[in-house]
Coordinates of all heavy atoms in Angstrom, one line a residue:
V47 N -16.6 26.3 -24.8 CA -17.7 25.7 -25.6 C -18.8 26.7 -25.7 O -19.3 27.2 -24.7 CB -18.2 24.4 -24.8 CG1 -19.3 23.8 -25.6 CG2 -17.1 23.5 -24.5
D49 N -22.1 27.2 -26.1 CA -23.4 26.4 -26.0 C -24.4 26.9 -27.0 O -25.2 26.0 -27.4 CB -23.9 26.6 -24.5 CG -23.1 25.8 -23.5 OD1 -22.0 25.2 -23.9 OD2 -23.4 25.7 -22.3
C52 N -23.4 25.1 -30.2 CA -23.2 23.6 -30.1 C -24.6 22.9 -30.3 O -25.6 23.2 -29.6 CB -22.7 23.3 -28.7 SG -22.5 21.5 -28.4
R54 N -24.8 19.6 -29.9 CA -24.7 18.5 -29.0 C -24.6 17.2 -29.8 O -25.2 16.2 -29.4 CB -25.9 18.4 -28.0 CG -25.9 19.6 -27.1 CD -27.1 19.6 -26.2 NE -28.2 20.3 -26.8 CZ -29.3 20.6 -26.2 NH1 -29.5 20.1 -25.0 NH2 -30.3 21.2 -26.8
G56 N -21.7 15.5 -30.2 CA -20.8 14.7 -29.5 C -19.6 14.3 -30.3 O -18.8 13.5 -29.9
C58 N -16.9 16.0 -31.0 CA -15.6 16.4 -30.3 C -15.2 15.3 -29.3 O -14.1 14.9 -29.3 CB -15.8 17.7 -29.7 SG -17.2 17.9 -28.6
S59 N -16.2 14.9 -28.5 CA -15.8 14.0 -27.4 C -15.5 12.6 -28.0 O -14.7 11.8 -27.5 CB -16.8 13.9 -26.3 OG -18.0 13.4 -26.8
F67 N -13.1 15.3 -22.9 CA -14.5 15.8 -22.7 C -15.4 14.8 -22.0 O -15.2 13.6 -22.3 CB -15.1 16.2 -24.0 CG -14.4 17.3 -24.7 CD1 -13.4 17.1 -25.7 CD2 -14.6 18.6 -24.4 CE1 -12.7 18.1 -26.4 CE2 -13.9 19.7 -25.0 CZ -13.0 19.4 -26.0
R68 N -16.3 15.3 -21.3 CA -17.4 14.5 -20.7 C -18.7 15.2 -21.1 O -18.7 16.4 -21.1 CB -17.3 14.4 -19.2 CG -18.1 13.3 -18.6 CD -18.2 13.4 -17.2 NE -18.9 14.6 -16.8 CZ -18.7 15.3 -15.6 NH1 -17.8 14.9 -14.8 NH2 -19.4 16.4 -15.4
I69 N -19.6 14.5 -21.5 CA -20.9 15.0 -21.9 C -21.7 15.3 -20.7 O -21.9 14.4 -19.9 CB -21.7 14.1 -22.9 CG1 -20.8 13.8 -24.2 CG2 -23.0 14.7 -23.3 CD1 -20.5 15.0 -25.0
D70 N -22.2 16.5 -20.5 CA -22.9 16.8 -19.3 C -24.4 16.4 -19.4 O -24.8 15.9 -20.4 CB -22.8 18.3 -18.9 CG -23.6 19.3 -19.8 OD1 -24.4 18.8 -20.6 OD2 -23.3 20.5 -19.7
G73 N -26.2 17.4 -22.4 CA -25.7 16.9 -23.7 C -24.5 17.8 -24.3 O -24.0 17.5 -25.4
Y74 N -24.1 18.7 -23.5 CA -22.9 19.6 -24.0 C -21.6 19.0 -23.5 O -21.5 18.4 -22.4 CB -23.0 21.0 -23.4 CG -24.2 21.8 -23.9 CD1 -25.4 21.9 -23.1 CD2 -24.2 22.3 -25.2 CE1 -26.5 22.6 -23.6 CE2 -25.3 23.0 -25.6 CZ -26.4 23.2 -24.9 OH -27.5 23.9 -25.4
P75 N -20.6 19.1 -24.4 CA -19.3 18.6 -24.0 C -18.6 19.5 -23.0 O -18.6 20.8 -23.1 CB -18.5 18.6 -25.3 CG -19.1 19.7 -26.1 CD -20.6 19.8 -25.7
R76 N -18.0 19.0 -21.9 CA -17.3 19.8 -20.9 C -15.8 19.2 -20.8 O -15.6 18.0 -20.7 CB -17.9 19.6 -19.6 CG -19.4 20.2 -19.5 CD -19.4 21.7 -19.7 NE -20.7 22.2 -20.0 CZ -21.0 23.1 -20.9 NH1 -20.1 23.6 -21.6 NH2 -22.2 23.5 -21.1
P77 N -14.9 20.1 -21.0 CA -13.5 19.7 -20.9 C -13.1 19.4 -19.4 O -12.6 20.2 -18.7 CB -12.7 20.9 -21.4 CG -13.6 22.0 -21.2 CD -15.0 21.6 -21.2
L98 N -16.4 25.2 -30.7 CA -15.4 24.9 -29.7 C -14.1 25.7 -30.0 O -13.7 25.8 -31.2 CB -15.1 23.4 -29.9 CG -14.4 22.6 -28.8 CD1 -15.2 22.7 -27.5 CD2 -14.3 21.1 -29.2
E107 N -12.1 25.0 -18.4 CA -13.1 25.6 -19.3 C -13.3 27.0 -19.1 O -13.3 27.5 -17.9 CB -14.5 24.8 -19.1 CG -15.5 25.3 -20.1 CD -16.8 24.5 -20.0 OE1 -17.0 23.7 -19.1 OE2 -17.7 24.8 -20.8

Side-chain angles (χ1 to χ4, degrees):
V47 182
D49 288 4
C52 175
R54 297 176 271 183
C58 53
S59 64
F67 296 98
R68 195 190 65 212
I69 302 298
D70 72 10
Y74 293 102
R76 297 293 168 222
L98 203 54
E107 184 175 4

